[in-house]
Amino acid sequence: MSMAELHLALLSSGPAHGYDLKREYDAWFPDAKPLPFGQVYSTLGRLVRDGLAEVVETRSEGGPERTVYAVTVAGRERLQAWLAEPAPPTATGAEDLVRKAIAALRTGGRASSVVADQRTAHLRAMCALTATPSGGDDLGARLARRYAVLHLDADLRWLDEAAAALDGTSTTTPGGTA
């Protein structure tokens, strides 16, 4: 995920300070790992350094001083270019669950155990996602939730196939049907 462009998207609705951006990000992606404050401010610093965002004011509003940022023309152009470019497919096998299973298999580790433990973790995550409300009227939150559920489902299918291959009960071979 490109955090710079995502911060530009968060700023595109108007000037905001880092706390607002973090809160908005967490609302956009309610099932994702919360955005750390440190990442917000380091990304904003890089955007300002690169001329993609600018500091428009500093507010205190009775609390701690907060710096308000706005996207620049160059930032809007960069955001539009990013949105126009399709994201590369991630079916590279580089995801952690694949790396761990293959590493366990190739190092003589307990690959079946790694796959079973991962499957359990995925099932828990799937249950948690499907047991909670999916974002109500917020189409963005509902779409993000649906992506997470479908992604977990695809991972589970791979984990089931890997488990069957490891215990010798597989009816498929990698890349197709046996």
Side-chain angles (χ1 to χ4, degrees), residues 113-138:
S113 220
V114 168
V115 168
D117 291 347
Q118 191 62 56
R119 188 176 188 285
T120 299
H122 268 62
L123 285 172
R124 281 191 191 121
M126 177 84 81
C127 288
L129 285 174
T130 57
T132 56
S134 64
D137 293 336
D138 184 342

Side-chain angles (χ1 to χ4, degrees), residues 73-91:
V73 171
R76 288 190 188 283
E77 290 171 356
R78 169 104 168 242
L79 174 61
Q80 291 308 311
W82 179 67
L83 292 173
E85 185 72 27
T90 59

Side-chain angles (χ1 to χ4, degrees), residues 156-173:
L156 282 167
R157 283 185 272 134
W158 182 83
L159 288 164
D160 288 344
E161 188 173 310
L166 290 168
D167 72 11
T169 61
S170 177
T171 57
T172 61
T173 57

Side-chain angles (χ1 to χ4, degrees), residues 8 11 47-49 58 60 67 74 85 90 101 106 113 117 140 167:
L8 292 171
L11 279 172
L47 291 173
V48 169
R49 178 199 67 204
T58 301
S60 71
T67 303
E85 185 72 27
T90 59
R106 295 209 181 262
S113 220
D117 291 347
D167 72 11

Side-chain angles (χ1 to χ4, degrees), residues 87-105:
T90 59
T92 61
E95 291 81 12
D96 247 10
L97 76 105
V98 176
R99 285 192 296 248
K100 286 184 178 184
I102 301 304
L105 181 66

Side-chain angles (χ1 to χ4, degrees), residues 14-34:
H17 52 75
Y19 180 78
D20 288 337
L21 296 180
K22 186 239 182 310
R23 190 177 54 217
E24 189 71 12
Y25 173 89
D26 292 346
W28 281 15
F29 305 101
D31 301 314
K33 183 178 170 184

